[in-house]
Amino acid sequence: PTAPDRPVSGRAHERFPMQFPAEFLREQLSRLLEPRFGRPLPEPLVEPCGDPRFGDLQSSAALVLGRRDGLDPRALALELAAALGETDWSAPPEVAGPGFLNFRLKPERCFSAFAEMVADPRLGIEKTEEPRTVVIDFSSPNIAKEMHVGHLRSTILGESLARIYRFAGHRVITVNHLGDWGTQFGMVLLGFKRRGEEARLEERPLEYLEELYQQIQASAKEDPTIREAAKTELWKLQHGDPENLALWQRFVETSKVELARIYEELGVHFDFTMGESAYRDQLPSIVHDLLAASIARPSQGAVCVFFPDDPELHDKPFLIQKSDGAYLYATTDLAALRFRVGEWKADRILYVTDGRQRLHFRQLAATAKLWGMAVEIDHVWFGSILGEDKKPLKTREGKPIKLRELLSEAQRRASAILAEKRPELPEEQKSRIARAVGIGALKYADLSQNRNLDYVFRWEKLLSFEGNTAPYLLNAYVRIRAILRKAEASGLSPTAAPLGEPAEVRLVKLLLEFSPALRRVENENRPHFLCTYLYELARSFHQFYESCPVLTAPPPLRGARLALCRGAAATLGAGLDLLGIERLEEM
């Protein structure tokens, strides 16, 4: 048996403990380094060797620690190599360059571990021994406004991280923190009261409400009385006017329906959808409690939190109430934070937003610390999606691209490729495959990037069947599954047998790196490490397939190579699930 053909989840399985080579060597190095250097040690302590000619795994710990503490890195590396010596997994390490440790794994030990790995539904990956409650706050669009391309990064990053943390064994709570109580509602309410059309609201609420907002906003620039009228509508909403509350509730509910369609198309699901409005009654107590605890203080009529002992924030106060008594995003985020720690018992909260909000979340985390909250706050920030002109991706008219339009275009382009390559496919099947390929390509193009960097969006690149793309990975998975189906139809099954071809050994060693790749994603909240691993795995499988016949090989070699195929399919499939990319059986 191997990994199931269903999405990976955090559900418990009866399984046995297993150790992977990178994790074993990491433990051995930690045992030698911690008494001398303490924690934290450099991460990753052990990683795949950049050039397989020099080994399978590598550690730069001696280089990093030696330079940090004024030691000779090469001398330290030689000392570590001598202390480690030969292990169950590896030959004695080799010291290279200024202080790298290179490890060559023993093929027979790797094949033994591979047999254990594919016998386990979780591919040998144990759940964490210290499960935590992890809240992941992502997507967070505004009500009465269409999602645009900028929301794509937050949405798919958050979904992928949720899947990975669940698989690791943590209790994950995903939340969509909607912008449903902002100043834009004064404009929207005024616009609907003056120009509202019920049919258009029902047909496409987000598009229509955004249009109304833009019309009133443009008019307000020319006519100050319109701006004042919008402020009056907002004041009435915030003070419980029945008519405005009823209209606002309609806008929220119809917008949620439209948003749900996009999330369904993306395969994204939230445990909770809680807008800013959920905390509006708590905002006065937030300000009161922080003032009472001397964490906040009045400043020029406003209320701020100051950080005199923080060199990064000592001149950057956190404004939680304006001089006119109004509350801000900071106040709402503090209320949400208090709720998540108090009610959900959050140990860790990930906020997945763009990099422009780095200061805000740095201040939020610092305030939580002053408030005595025992919670770890991570701002998982990301850069921009750029067009060919290296500027933020927009339409020809200079407006942000709507996310629904982007999803439709991805499926249209994928469908055109399929029509050319597979014209014989039935339309229904072609449509289903085009949806999976198009949306999977969009997701992977983003997830495969270092999230802190901007990247240039190119349709030709992300839909290519060559290179580090979703179509390339999906094609590899489909090819492996086709081999396994043919074998099953012929009554053939995987078996254990010695293997020695270089491509076979390389593939087995790479399969054993799945667990360390996931560990690194979790440590740094960077799914691109998993993408890089899956791409290398797909490349390694193609090299194996081209040099090592499977179905035509003689027994017992054929059965052993079928076992490699099954292990590769299970690992690729599990990786695609964790990225939120739909598997395909045919392309």
Side-chain angles (χ1 to χ4, degrees):
T2 184
D5 291 329
R6 60 176 182 270
V8 175
S9 71
R11 292 173 183 163
H13 295 283
E14 291 186 8
R15 59 177 313 279
F16 45 84
M18 174 180 171
Q19 197 165 42
F20 293 87
E23 294 169 348
F24 170 82
L25 292 171
R26 184 183 188 280
E27 288 181 9
Q28 298 304 305
L29 279 172
S30 297
R31 179 177 54 81
L32 294 172
L33 292 170
E34 282 180 8
R36 184 169 176 181
F37 296 98
R39 288 190 174 188
L41 295 172
E43 286 288 354
L45 198 57
V46 177
E47 60 185 329
C49 199
D51 189 334
R53 292 178 301 173
F54 301 120
D56 301 303
L57 299 171
Q58 185 180 77
S59 176
S60 59
L63 196 63
V64 174
L65 295 172
R67 288 174 175 173
R68 188 193 75 182
D69 290 12
L71 304 172
D72 180 352
R74 186 172 175 84
L76 178 58
L78 288 167
E79 182 182 334
L80 289 172
L84 283 167
E86 182 177 0
T87 71
D88 179 47
W89 277 102
S90 61
E94 302 166 7
V95 177
F100 291 102
L101 279 175
N102 291 335
F103 300 92
R104 297 185 186 276
L105 300 178
K106 298 176 178 177
E108 63 277 8
R109 180 67 181 88
C110 291
F111 279 110
S112 172
F114 168 72
E116 295 179 50
M117 175 182 169
V118 296
D120 179 28
R122 286 179 53 89
L123 297 172
I125 300 174
E126 295 183 57
K127 291 185 178 182
T128 178
E129 295 179 355
E130 300 177 355
R132 307 175 75 191
T133 297
V134 181
V135 175
I136 306 182
D137 179 328
F138 65 99
S139 194
S140 306
N142 289 320
I143 290 296
K145 189 174 182 181
E146 287 200 87
M147 292 176 75
H148 57 76
V149 67
H151 291 106
L152 180 67
R153 300 205 77 176
S154 175
T155 303
I156 62 177
L157 267 169
E159 175 68 18
S160 178
L161 289 172
R163 291 171 180 240
I164 289 167
Y165 274 89
R166 283 194 182 105
F167 184 62
H170 297 288
R171 175 181 177 245
V172 175
I173 300 173
T174 56
V175 58
N176 195 3
H177 186 74
L178 297 176
D180 68 350
W181 198 246
T183 56
Q184 80 270 23
F185 281 103
M187 298 276 188
V188 175
L189 285 165
L190 182 64
F192 191 78
K193 284 185 174 183
R194 292 188 175 184
R195 309 174 184 178
E197 298 177 34
E198 291 287 341
R200 293 192 64 191
L201 178 63
E202 293 297 326
E203 182 180 354
R204 194 173 286 280
L206 290 175
E207 182 181 11
Y208 179 53
L209 292 173
E210 184 174 357
E211 180 184 315
L212 285 176
Y213 169 76
Q214 291 170 347
Q215 289 173 358
I216 294 298
Q217 186 182 46
S219 299
K221 291 179 181 178
E222 305 294 329
D223 186 350
T225 63
I226 294 179
R227 180 170 293 279
E228 290 305 311
K231 287 183 179 179
T232 299
E233 296 296 344
L234 179 64
W235 185 92
K236 289 165 64 179
L237 171 66
Q238 293 177 339
H239 288 78
D241 176 77
E243 181 186 10
N244 280 14
L245 274 174
L247 278 176
W248 169 80
Q249 189 65 44
R250 281 191 64 200
F251 298 160
V252 170
E253 293 306 318
T254 54
S255 295
K256 283 182 178 179
V257 171
E258 190 78 1
L259 291 171
R261 292 194 187 105
I262 291 179
Y263 291 132
E264 186 66 28
E265 199 164 6
L266 286 170
V268 171
H269 305 281
F270 295 94
D271 297 312
F272 295 92
T273 295
M274 298 178 67
E276 296 167 348
S277 61
Y279 308 100
R280 65 182 187 267
D281 295 336
Q282 302 174 33
L283 304 186
S285 70
I286 293 292
V287 175
H288 175 272
D289 291 353
L290 290 173
L291 283 169
S294 299
I295 295 170
R297 60 181 170 84
S299 176
Q300 299 179 6
V303 179
C304 302
V305 178
F306 292 87
F307 312 98
D309 299 327
D310 191 322
E312 293 183 23
L313 299 176
H314 73 277
D315 59 345
K316 298 180 177 66
F318 200 32
L319 182 62
I320 62 172
Q321 187 174 28
K322 296 167 73 173
S323 57
D324 63 3
Y327 303 106
L328 300 101
Y329 291 121
T331 333
T332 302
D333 279 347
L334 285 167
L337 176 63
R338 184 172 67 177
F339 174 83
R340 293 165 184 179
V341 173
E343 297 296 320
W344 292 343
K345 310 302 180 187
D347 300 306
R348 186 178 185 186
I349 303 177
L350 310 185
Y351 293 91
V352 187
T353 78
D354 69 67
R356 292 172 296 179
Q357 298 185 52
R358 276 179 281 177
L359 174 60
H360 171 81
F361 286 105
R362 177 75 180 82
Q363 292 170 318
L364 183 70
T367 303
K369 185 176 180 180
L370 291 173
W371 213 355
M373 288 188 175
V375 62
E376 181 181 342
I377 292 176
D378 291 315
H379 182 206
V380 182
W381 63 273
F382 50 82
S384 300
I385 304 177
L386 307 179
E388 299 280 0
D389 58 359
K390 305 296 193 296
K391 296 178 181 179
L393 189 64
K394 295 181 183 296
T395 64
R396 291 179 180 177
E397 294 76 28
K399 298 179 180 179
I401 295 177
K402 306 300 184 186
L403 185 52
R404 61 177 172 82
E405 295 172 353
L406 192 71
L407 297 179
S408 296
E409 180 68 6
Q411 294 175 70
R412 186 192 68 77
R413 288 176 178 260
S415 183
I417 293 172
L418 280 170
E420 180 183 343
K421 293 181 177 291
R422 298 291 306 278
E424 79 284 359
L425 284 178
E427 283 303 314
E428 183 180 347
Q429 188 178 7
K430 192 186 301 179
S431 176
R432 182 179 59 80
I433 295 174
R435 177 185 173 279
V437 171
I439 292 179
L442 273 180
K443 289 183 177 183
Y444 191 84
D446 199 303
L447 293 170
S448 61
Q449 308 293 323
N450 180 337
R451 59 175 168 79
N452 294 151
L453 303 179
D454 300 340
Y455 77 93
V456 176
F457 184 95
R458 293 189 180 94
W459 283 114
E460 294 75 15
K461 181 180 178 181
L462 67 92
L463 284 168
S464 173
F465 280 75
E466 298 296 331
N468 189 11
T469 67
Y472 181 78
L473 295 189
L474 288 168
N475 194 42
Y477 180 77
V478 167
R479 172 177 284 184
I480 305 170
R481 291 290 300 154
I483 293 170
L484 293 172
R485 283 196 301 273
K486 287 180 181 178
E488 185 177 358
S490 301
L492 305 175
S493 59
T495 57
L499 292 168
E501 291 292 328
E504 297 167 337
V505 176
R506 167 65 180 155
L507 181 56
V508 165
K509 289 178 178 179
L510 199 53
L511 286 167
L512 296 176
E513 291 175 18
F514 185 40
S515 177
L518 292 180
R519 178 192 179 99
R520 192 172 183 190
V521 173
E522 185 183 344
N523 285 343
E524 302 186 38
N525 294 316
R526 298 183 188 277
H528 80 272
F529 292 132
L530 175 57
C531 294
T532 300
Y533 167 76
L534 294 175
Y535 172 56
E536 291 300 324
L537 180 61
R539 285 182 60 200
S540 180
F541 175 79
H542 280 132
Q543 292 165 0
F544 156 76
Y545 182 74
E546 289 167 6
S547 61
C548 302
V550 179
L551 296 177
T552 59
L557 188 59
R558 181 174 56 203
R561 288 178 177 173
L562 279 173
L564 279 184
C565 290
R566 180 169 286 187
T571 306
L572 268 176
L576 290 168
D577 288 341
L578 293 171
L579 294 174
I581 294 174
E582 182 182 348
R583 306 187 200 184
L584 289 171
E585 291 292 317
E586 185 179 7
M587 281 180 73

